[in-house]
Amino acid sequence: MEAARPPSTAGKFVVVGGGIAGVTCAEQLAIQFPSEDILLVTASPVVKAVTNFRQVSKILEEFDVEEQPSTMLENRFPNIKVIESGVKQLKSKEHCILTEDGSQYVYKKLCLCAGAKPKLICEGNPYILGIRDTDSAQEFQKQLTEAKRIMIIGNGGIALELVYEIEGCEVIWAIKDKAIGNTFFDAGAAEFLTSKLVAEKSEANIAQKRTRYTAERKKKESRTKAKADNVGSALGPDWHEGLNLKGTKEFSHKILIETMCEVKKIYLQEEFRILKKKSLTFPRDHHNKSVTTDKEMWPVYVELTNEKIYGCDFIVSATGVTPNTEPFLHNNSFDLGEDGGLKVNDHMQTSLPDIYAAGDICTASWQLGPFWQQMRLWTQARQMGWYAAKCMAAASLGNSIDMDFSFELFAHVTKFFNYKVVLLGKYNAQGLGSDHELMLRCTKGQEYVKVVMQNGRMMGAVLIGETDLEETFENLILNQMNLSSYGEDLLDPNIDIEDYFD
């Protein structure tokens, strides 16, 4: 006798993942097809919703990310049905997915938005924390209350935020580049921001303009550790707010930046003792660089590729993410990008029929425009989720659809060290080779403006501080006007550049 088949539910549209890409995709489909049930399958009891959305300019957008119970999403869109379960298997030939709870869902169109997981420097070490989501940030805070010294590995946005927010704890920050924040800016911008790290933070921290909500803790206890490790949405731009990031020592910032190095080896205390290795103390001050052997015993030791060894209480691994494709690959022949993501074309379709992907799980594999590049950021997750829904809708109605213009120009706004940071186009001269020039304007402690020029045309820009130039620069990049005749006037603070280009 044949085993009973799991109950099967059919939905025209099924979306996997409760992060920004998945929720945005489901919402758009719900609006386009009010009489269809849209199924959103997510492993977490909370979903990520976009709130306070503001269109800053044609392409630049600002929004907050809020964790909300999935019931709030179902209340806003009665035709969205949230299924709280992880995906066990995708059967692309049969057009169905199996969930961990044993159910089966048949789809006509499927969108995979399962995000990405933090890359850990090494698996299974209790002293290494990977930070990417709100759960790990909570865990991090518990550990920090006891910590005298921690080590941060990585040079992206989360590492930058952490270093700035941690107080009363020695921080050794190991980066593989010459300067901090290389994903986001060049050495000049890094220098501009580093001076802010060294200055003591003012006690009256500037009030945040956003409100935040934390997830309901109800289901937390029931989720086993193994489960907790592999789900969790990415952190929002204000994730450290409301966490008390203070260590045990009574001082503000103590940061030692080790550049151009990576982790060579990690020793636990016992192994370190047996090998009779020597570790370094934290330098007392910047002028006196005399290095002495550390007498204190630490739970864990890190040997860097520059031969230095430091002991610390724990290590934070903030070295980027890997697309979370694992549950979907078995028996399915997806084309994958070099970064391990599901390749998608200019309609967000994967290589398998009727399967789309959006957000961190996917790799943009169309002919990219000259001013756009994929980075695994909130803004792109929202744009891709929205556009994927439009494409799924058009395909099922037999309509054609044009590429969304948000993919014409890379545009991202965020905050680092309490400065507004706007990145436009090829802001780091990505892919331009040596055939470009930079123009800079910098007022210490106030603003930093960098423009990337090629053949008299603007290709990208970094704006730190309240510059009010983003809209003008966005237009200058998009319309590729020849700016040679303006020369240095382009960045002259006494000339109101907007008047030129109205």
Side-chain angles (χ1 to χ4, degrees):
M1 201 181 104
E2 207 183 315
R5 295 199 50 182
S8 183
T9 317
K12 193 170 181 176
F13 299 106
V14 177
V15 180
V16 176
I20 287 298
V23 171
T24 306
C25 182
E27 290 180 344
Q28 271 310 309
L29 288 167
I31 292 166
Q32 301 233 337
F33 298 95
S35 55
E36 288 283 348
D37 275 352
I38 313 297
L39 302 183
L40 178 66
V41 181
T42 169
S44 157
V46 289
V47 296
K48 291 276 199 286
V50 167
T51 58
N52 305 330
F53 182 83
R54 252 183 9 101
Q55 197 72 44
V56 182
S57 62
K58 183 179 169 200
I59 295 183
L60 210 53
E61 51 187 43
E62 269 188 304
F63 54 86
D64 300 334
V65 174
E66 242 175 54
E67 287 202 316
Q68 299 178 344
S70 48
T71 48
M72 273 175 79
L73 182 64
E74 294 177 320
N75 292 344
R76 275 204 311 277
F77 297 94
N79 58 330
I80 292 182
K81 304 279 175 272
V82 179
I83 290 134
E84 212 181 287
S85 179
V87 171
K88 191 157 135 196
Q89 201 192 344
L90 159 65
K91 297 184 170 178
S92 57
K93 291 185 184 66
E94 287 100 89
H95 274 58
C96 78
I97 57 169
L98 268 57
T99 49
E100 300 280 359
D101 61 12
S103 311
Q104 184 163 301
Y105 300 94
V106 176
Y107 61 84
K108 287 208 175 68
K109 304 260 177 231
L110 170 70
C111 192
L112 300 176
C113 308
K117 314 193 265 252
K119 282 183 199 151
L120 275 192
I121 28 187
C122 84
E123 295 293 328
N125 185 321
Y127 297 103
I128 297 180
L129 284 177
I131 289 215
R132 163 174 170 85
D133 57 39
T134 21
D135 300 346
S136 46
Q138 228 89 40
E139 179 58 34
F140 179 62
Q141 188 188 332
K142 285 212 294 279
Q143 308 247 5
L144 197 59
T145 50
E146 330 265 273
K148 294 197 290 288
R149 184 193 298 168
I150 69 167
M151 191 144 178
I152 295 178
I153 316 289
N155 200 11
I158 285 184
L160 279 172
E161 289 283 351
L162 270 181
V163 169
Y164 182 64
E165 291 297 329
I166 289 167
E167 297 184 353
C169 173
E170 293 173 349
V171 176
I172 298 166
W173 186 10
I175 62 177
K176 63 178 190 292
D177 313 279
K178 283 204 270 289
I180 65 167
N182 77 308
T183 347
F184 294 103
F185 16 74
D186 58 1
E191 182 57 37
F192 175 82
L193 287 170
T194 312
S195 59
K196 179 106 177 214
L197 269 184
V198 187
E200 287 293 304
K201 276 199 294 193
S202 61
E203 271 312 298
N205 239 343
I206 297 132
Q208 285 281 351
K209 285 195 288 288
R210 309 181 206 175
T211 45
R212 278 158 307 271
Y213 298 78
T214 39
E216 291 185 300
R217 309 305 291 171
K218 64 176 184 355
K219 300 245 173 148
K220 245 325 143 13
E221 284 64 53
S222 62
R223 252 176 52 197
T224 58
K225 184 77 184 96
K227 201 75 177 278
D229 281 342
N230 52 33
V231 299
S233 314
L235 290 166
D238 281 331
W239 61 272
H240 50 73
E241 281 300 312
L243 293 179
N244 168 23
L245 294 179
K246 253 182 163 357
T248 55
K249 296 250 178 90
E250 281 307 308
F251 51 76
S252 182
H253 279 131
K254 277 211 177 168
I255 293 160
L256 172 64
I257 303 178
E258 289 286 353
T259 58
M260 309 282 291
C261 65
E262 295 183 61
V263 174
K264 186 170 162 187
K265 198 159 170 26
I266 293 171
Y267 305 95
L268 295 180
Q269 192 184 74
E270 185 62 12
E271 185 184 5
F272 188 79
R273 268 219 304 269
I274 294 166
L275 293 170
K276 295 194 168 50
K277 296 231 173 235
K278 297 240 186 306
S279 69
L280 303 174
T281 54
F282 197 90
R284 285 287 150 256
D285 59 55
H286 283 295
H287 313 294
N288 174 15
K289 284 280 199 256
S290 64
V291 176
T292 50
T293 304
D294 202 347
K295 297 280 180 285
E296 188 156 356
M297 289 307 285
W298 297 94
V300 65
Y301 291 84
V302 181
E303 183 174 355
L304 299 169
T305 47
N306 63 8
E307 306 304 319
K308 295 182 182 179
I309 300 181
Y310 292 100
C312 56
D313 288 306
F314 61 92
I315 302 159
V316 180
S317 176
T319 46
V321 297
T322 343
N324 188 21
T325 54
E326 202 265 317
F328 313 108
L329 298 183
H330 182 67
N331 282 342
N332 298 308
S333 51
F334 281 108
D335 289 349
L336 298 182
E338 283 172 23
D339 55 12
L342 304 173
K343 276 188 174 185
V344 291
N345 66 11
D346 59 0
H347 283 61
M348 304 311 286
Q349 292 162 308
T350 65
S351 55
L352 297 181
D354 299 320
I355 302 181
Y356 296 70
D360 286 0
I361 194 175
C362 78
T363 302
S365 303
W366 61 87
Q367 185 70 52
L368 304 183
F371 314 113
W372 190 85
Q373 59 272 341
Q374 183 179 8
M375 284 179 80
R376 291 183 161 80
L377 298 165
W378 296 84
T379 40
Q380 292 194 350
R382 196 203 71 80
Q383 288 162 349
M384 287 177 167
W386 185 90
Y387 178 55
K390 291 278 185 216
C391 293
M392 291 163 81
S396 70
L397 298 168
N399 301 339
S400 66
I401 182 175
D402 285 333
M403 182 87 202
D404 187 71
F405 66 79
S406 61
F407 297 104
E408 278 174 38
L409 175 72
F410 175 86
H412 185 63
V413 58
T414 183
K415 250 190 153 72
F416 285 126
F417 302 4
N418 248 331
Y419 287 109
K420 175 176 169 184
V421 176
V422 175
L423 307 169
L424 296 172
K426 300 290 176 187
Y427 62 88
N428 246 350
Q430 294 94 326
L432 298 183
S434 52
D435 174 28
H436 69 273
E437 48 186 30
L438 303 178
M439 286 163 65
L440 291 175
R441 164 174 124 200
C442 181
T443 314
K444 201 175 159 126
Q446 199 180 332
E447 61 164 26
Y448 175 93
V449 176
K450 175 187 84 168
V451 175
V452 179
M453 304 291 292
Q454 190 176 46
N455 306 327
R457 290 170 168 81
M458 194 182 290
M459 305 299 285
V462 174
L463 308 171
I464 305 179
E466 296 296 333
T467 65
D468 279 333
L469 292 168
E470 49 267 39
E471 200 155 358
T472 306
F473 282 11
E474 179 180 292
N475 289 329
L476 290 177
I477 296 171
L478 284 171
N479 67 26
Q480 284 297 284
M481 181 173 163
N482 192 336
L483 304 167
S484 312
S485 54
Y486 299 101
E488 296 296 313
D489 285 358
L490 199 57
L491 294 186
D492 184 338
N494 304 314
I495 295 178
D496 197 354
I497 186 82
E498 283 120 75
D499 298 349
Y500 268 137
F501 307 112
D502 274 351

